[in-house]
Amino acid sequence: MKWFKKKIDEEVQTAEAGPMEDDVFEKELEHLMSEEHGKKKKKKLFKKKWSKKKKIIVGSVAAVLFLFIAFNSAAGGKSAVMPVTVTPLKKGEVTETLSVSGPVQGTDSVEVVSNLHAEILDLPVKEGDKVEKGQLLATLDDKDAKKEVDIAQNAYDLAVSTYKDKQLEAENGYAKAKQDYETAKANYNRTLALYQGGSATQVELEGVTNTMNDAAREITTYTLKDGKPVANESYTLQIEKEAFELQQKKEALENTKVISPISGTVVRVNCKVGRFADKTDDDKPMFIINNLDVLEMKINVSEYSIGKVKVGQPVEIGADILNGDTVKGEVTAISPTGEEKGGGSTERVIPTTIRIIDQNSKLIAGITAKAKIELQKAEDVWVVPISALIQNPDGSMAVASVVNNTVKYIPVKTGVESDIEVEIIPEDESALSEGLQLIEAPSSMISDGMAVHVLPSQS
């Protein structure tokens, strides 16, 4: 019994795990040796979860050792060759996939809100209705909004009127200032000539000089634009301010008609007639609208797997609502940054988007679906069960063929690997051929060159 356990331990350790606990092993052995083995049992023998690869190897090796014990017993204690089960080598395809899950949702989603403290008078749409861009969703009481527009309009009109008055005042004042300056300058020139001829006094000359200078300074008090006088800039700024306020009030009036910003389906209505638009249920948006014509999945891919995920990779999507069917999808976007996985884990995840290609399916937004991303695929290659692989002490890989009841190791490298099968690539291309008999689950008891007994196929 200890020898039997040791052999299974060796295989499991080679695959991925340490030795089995004694109680786990005893239960597994009891399960294998039981007359009821093979029948469906309701009670599970193991509480410890094993990986699919580990289950394949342990189950295969245990079965081989069980047969070996039985074969030795049948031989009456005489030396007997190891019985093995074989499978014919053939070419096929193998696909490596990544299984993930996430919510199904529309490609476009908007939340319609209102900051107007106005009563909702009418709601012409309900959840599930399809709407077009610009379609009316709700009508709000516009009395207050209209008053605000009237007040803002009056303030704007007053600002414009004031500006016009000041503009006219500037034009007239500038014209008079220029006229006064020309008159003062003519008087100065005349008085200067008289002074030089001795007919005017120094005081008279100084008087007309001061008058001319005062007229010149008066001209500089006016603002010119392109050589023409304009009203003070403050009046222009006041018009701009009032124009902005008026535009805001007009937009508020327009917003008393709540419209859809996109074409889509109304998936949530969080408001009611008689309530105020800015006081919705639990402060949620008035409406949530999704474009459900094209669905997608938002998933999180582990940082340890994201290196294999590429935009454009095909995806197979399943969900309970599909009743066993699947639909096609495609990876369309991968976030350039990761985020915390949560739950106290230090692992990071990368948000990834999968576009659902088959849109005429039973899938609906809001449910959780499962997706298998096709990471890589190999076609027309040699494919064997994972259990058929042998890992040598130096880390190299091999498969065991049986020719004339003799084991022959064939060195190989592995390629694309699924959950249960793997692509093998021989070091010598001529070493593999269609129909070559390979041992399904070679144990450590089997060595290159040893004699074995091939058990009949169960199929």
Side-chain angles (χ1 to χ4, degrees), residues 62 64 66 75 103 116 158 163 170 177 239 264 296 372 434 452:
V64 170
F66 173 74
L116 296 180
L158 177 60
Y163 168 79
I239 290 178
E296 62 185 16
K372 287 186 177 180
E434 190 80 24
V452 293

Side-chain angles (χ1 to χ4, degrees), residues 111-117 120 268-272 275-288:
E111 296 180 347
V112 181
V113 300
S114 175
N115 60 359
L116 296 180
H117 190 67
I120 301 172
R268 291 291 181 272
V269 177
N270 299 311
C271 54
K272 298 176 183 178
R275 298 281 296 274
F276 290 101
D278 60 345
K279 298 294 182 182
T280 57
D281 298 338
D282 298 326
D283 292 328
K284 295 178 180 178
M286 293 181 68
F287 305 92
I288 298 178

Side-chain angles (χ1 to χ4, degrees), residues 384-391 397-399 412 414 417 422 424 440 442:
V384 299
I386 291 178
S387 61
L389 286 176
I390 300 170
Q391 184 170 1
M397 307 298 290
V399 292
V412 296
T414 59
E417 180 179 324
V422 61
I424 57 171
E440 289 184 346

